[in-house]
Amino acid sequence: MDIRERLGTNLRRLREERQLSQEAFAFEARIHRTYISDLERGARNPTITVIDKIAKALGVTVGELLD
């Protein structure tokens, strides 16, 4: 599994654990919903700034997203 797939899997798991739709999470993270979808599918290679926004919106560390 490459890093994009790992990020996508962790993002989806953490988002669903918090019972957030992609749309609700995207609003909270201030990222477009389709971009969240692309990340969860491993179709995008996000910047570290985007990864940081996602981690903060989920209340986890960047390391937790990438482990």
Side-chain angles (χ1 to χ4, degrees):
M1 179 181 305
D2 77 2
I3 190 75
R4 288 177 299 176
E5 291 172 7
R6 196 172 333 136
L7 171 67
T9 298
N10 289 336
L11 169 55
R12 179 174 296 191
R13 177 181 51 80
L14 292 164
R15 177 182 60 76
E16 288 177 348
E17 283 175 3
R18 286 154 180 75
Q19 299 179 339
L20 292 170
S21 66
Q22 284 182 348
E23 188 170 349
F25 176 70
F27 180 79
E28 204 167 304
R30 295 193 166 122
I31 299 170
H32 199 276
R33 188 207 54 81
T34 59
Y35 193 80
I36 297 298
S37 174
D38 288 347
L39 290 174
E40 288 185 359
R41 290 182 291 110
R44 293 275 187 143
N45 192 18
T47 65
I48 194 68
T49 303
V50 169
I51 293 171
D52 185 57
K53 287 171 80 172
I54 290 168
K56 286 179 180 172
L58 289 169
V60 299
T61 66
V62 169
E64 288 176 88
L65 272 177
L66 301 175
D67 279 346

